[in-house]
Amino acid sequence: MATAKKTPVAAPAKPAAAVKAAAVKTAAPAKAAAKPAVKKAAAPAVPRKPNAAFMKAMTPSAVLAAVVGADPLPRTEVTKKVWDYIKKLDLQDPANRRMINADDKLKAVFGGKAQVSMFEMTKLISDHLK
């Protein structure tokens, strides 16, 4: 008589919660062994120095002088005065605030364009500074 071979019976599977708990227990000692990070001493706060190229006084052209004045100004101040002019006269496009609608004075500065983006505006203004 031939005897059938019995296949070994696998151990019953552990519930998923028990597996997760076992994984957490093994991971916890690894975290405890890690050394705490050493904090660097904070560097003393040093005020930023403006770039000399931006702070150099530039003379605006006659066309740009109608908007910002004829006195020599740094580029940063010229840009601020142009933005003050734009906001005072509400020249930003209401639908797309990045676009500037030029009036007669700004149209001359913008090379005859009726509308320019705020990023293109700085490029066009720099052409009028010497």
Side-chain angles (χ1 to χ4, degrees):
M1 175 172 187
T3 57
K5 290 186 178 179
K6 293 184 178 179
T7 57
V9 177
K14 292 182 180 179
V19 173
K20 286 183 183 177
V24 170
K25 287 180 183 177
T26 57
K31 286 184 181 178
K35 293 182 181 178
V38 177
K39 293 184 180 181
K40 294 182 181 178
V46 178
R48 286 182 45 171
K49 294 180 183 177
N51 188 342
F54 285 120
M55 299 313 291
K56 179 182 173 188
M58 313 260 321
T59 306
S61 68
V63 176
L64 184 59
V67 177
V68 299
D71 296 332
L73 296 168
R75 289 179 187 271
T76 55
E77 290 299 317
V78 170
T79 304
K80 285 180 186 178
K81 288 193 177 211
V82 170
W83 271 110
D84 290 341
Y85 181 83
I86 290 168
K87 289 179 180 180
K88 183 175 98 177
L89 297 177
D90 195 30
L91 297 176
Q92 280 182 287
D93 188 16
N96 185 358
R97 305 283 290 170
R98 290 179 289 184
M99 300 302 287
I100 310 299
N101 298 322
D103 64 349
D104 293 333
K105 289 181 181 179
L106 284 180
K107 193 177 277 191
V109 174
F110 296 159
K113 294 182 179 182
Q115 189 177 47
V116 297
S117 73
M118 64 173 60
F119 306 108
E120 185 182 5
M121 177 187 74
T122 56
K123 177 186 170 218
L124 295 171
I125 289 172
S126 69
D127 293 338
H128 291 277
L129 295 173
K130 293 184 183 178

